[in-house]
Amino acid sequence: MPRFRYPCPDCRSTNSLHDPDCRFDGTPWEDVEKAYVDILGVLAAGATTEGRLREAVDGPWDRVHSAALSRLRRDQRVRETPGGALELLSPAEYREEVAVPSEESLRTIYEHGSVPGCHDHAIFSLVAYYRSVGFSWQETRERVVDWLRESGTWARGGFEESSPEEIVDAKRHVYAQAYGWRQAAREAAAVIERSLG
């Protein structure tokens, strides 16, 4: 099955299989990729207002373009300047932005640490998240090992492994297979929130 460089702006699929309720299921992938390329091509030349961006793209601005721009914003690839223009984040700025997860379930895991009963899902979701935002395996491993220690997760116990490094190494398949993180993060965050309450 072919894999694509840009995710579906609705369900985030990077192959031709969309989620059942995805509004872009059946949309030719060339249209999805063109929308991203149109937007990124204009913004690569410098910051611009959304109105000017819409005028500058090659061809008509459509629902795929709107959804792709929304996805780029949600994924923290594009931000609004204080003057109201849109700009691309540099690779260094992007890496700094996404180093600390901001989406709700992941943020709960990251800020509070994991608790026994959800360690597997919590670690799975962090490894998958860092893979999805473009960190190398070594960077992912280092970040998750540090998180295990700094969040208090390792100190809470409940692990069969003898070190945080061993725990993360056991999740390398998650990184290699590029699994999604959302479902595991939701399940882990629910357990963590119950333990806090």
Side-chain angles (χ1 to χ4, degrees):
M1 175 181 317
R3 297 191 66 80
F4 302 101
R5 182 72 182 127
Y6 299 105
C8 170
D10 188 22
C11 72
R12 297 184 57 88
S13 173
T14 54
N15 61 50
S16 56
L17 298 176
H18 294 265
D19 288 351
D21 59 346
C22 178
R23 61 190 164 133
F24 295 108
D25 188 16
T27 301
W29 207 266
E30 306 82 54
D31 294 351
V32 172
E33 289 192 333
K34 181 183 180 314
Y36 280 108
V37 170
D38 286 347
I39 293 165
L40 295 172
V42 172
L43 292 176
T48 189
T49 65
E50 186 171 341
R52 288 199 178 115
L53 171 64
R54 288 172 179 256
E55 293 170 5
V57 299
D58 181 29
W61 184 271
D62 59 17
R63 70 186 188 103
V64 181
H65 285 86
S66 292
L69 179 57
S70 292
R71 171 59 55 200
L72 289 166
R73 284 176 156 161
R74 281 192 309 274
D75 289 352
Q76 300 171 327
R77 293 283 187 175
V78 171
R79 69 176 165 213
E80 193 168 318
T81 67
L86 299 175
E87 69 179 355
L88 282 176
L89 273 70
S90 71
E93 290 170 324
Y94 172 71
R95 292 174 75 71
E96 188 176 315
E97 272 305 305
V98 298
V100 175
S102 62
E103 293 200 34
E104 187 50 46
S105 297
L106 277 175
R107 188 173 63 222
T108 298
I109 295 166
Y110 192 85
E111 289 177 357
H112 299 286
S114 184
V115 296
C118 71
H119 290 326
D120 188 59
H121 283 338
I123 295 163
F124 178 108
S125 62
L126 284 174
V127 169
Y129 167 76
Y130 284 121
R131 166 71 163 82
S132 76
V133 296
F135 284 87
S136 69
W137 165 247
Q138 194 55 42
E139 292 166 322
T140 298
R141 183 180 188 270
E142 183 179 309
R143 289 190 171 282
V144 178
V145 165
D146 289 347
W147 169 82
L148 280 161
R149 289 190 174 108
E150 293 166 6
S151 68
T153 298
W154 176 249
R156 287 185 191 109
F159 298 101
E160 294 179 15
E161 295 85 357
S162 61
S163 70
E165 291 81 4
E166 189 179 336
I167 294 166
V168 178
D169 288 344
K171 292 286 183 250
R172 184 155 191 174
H173 69 283
V174 172
Y175 185 92
Q177 293 297 316
Y179 290 118
W181 53 263
R182 282 180 172 69
Q183 184 62 35
R186 280 192 293 268
E187 291 173 15
V191 174
I192 293 164
E193 287 167 351
R194 282 193 301 272
S195 77
L196 295 172

